Amino acid sequence: LVTGLKCWHLRPESVFFPKNNFHNVTDSIPHRADVVFLFGEIDCREGILRAVEKGRYKDIEEGMDATIGYYLTALGSLQRQKQLNIYVQPVAPVLNETREVVKVFNRMLKDAVLAAGT
């Protein structure tokens, strides 16, 4: 179980604790295991919006695209290394304040997962 991880933490240059915890936990998963991943809620609640406000991305969609890219790159690497059966769960749109952001994120995540084809 990994908690407190933003998809954004999975970018190559990140050295933040949640990324290290992610790798420590995923290292313990047996080869060819079925694994469910559910990340992106914190990105939708605060990470992407703050990054846009700071000028890191021109808009929310660009921030989501980059964030989802980091996420799926990490999952693809795990899948290749361990031949995992990966299931990507969409973010639950439970908070009124972030529901519309989550819906866009989930649509973009679904499209990216389907485009990855694995």
Side-chain angles (χ1 to χ4, degrees):
L1 177 65
V2 176
T3 61
L5 180 77
K6 294 179 186 176
C7 298
W8 191 74
H9 292 146
L10 295 172
R11 69 195 190 290
E13 63 273 16
S14 175
V15 294
F16 195 50
F17 168 77
K19 178 182 178 181
N20 294 332
N21 187 44
F22 174 83
H23 288 295
N24 288 335
V25 170
T26 56
D27 285 348
S28 70
I29 298 171
H31 279 67
R32 294 185 167 76
D34 293 333
V35 186
V36 176
F37 290 91
L38 194 169
F39 295 107
E41 188 278 329
I42 302 171
D43 299 277
C44 289
R45 180 168 31 93
E46 62 181 35
I48 295 167
L49 298 173
R50 285 187 184 162
V52 171
E53 288 172 358
K54 291 179 179 180
R56 181 178 292 271
Y57 305 111
K58 69 178 180 188
D59 56 30
I60 291 172
E61 287 80 11
E62 182 182 64
M64 288 180 182
D65 188 53
T67 300
I68 291 167
Y70 297 136
Y71 185 26
L72 296 187
T73 296
L75 297 187
S77 177
L78 279 172
Q79 198 282 327
R80 286 186 299 280
Q81 292 169 9
K82 299 190 129 203
Q83 293 82 48
L84 300 175
N85 296 312
I86 293 177
Y87 301 91
V88 178
Q89 179 72 26
V91 175
V94 296
L95 298 175
N96 290 334
E97 297 80 10
T98 61
R99 186 167 291 123
E100 295 309 311
V101 172
V102 167
K103 286 179 182 179
V104 174
F105 183 88
N106 284 342
R107 179 185 46 78
M108 292 179 71
L109 178 61
K110 178 181 178 181
D111 292 347
V113 168
L114 291 174
T118 58

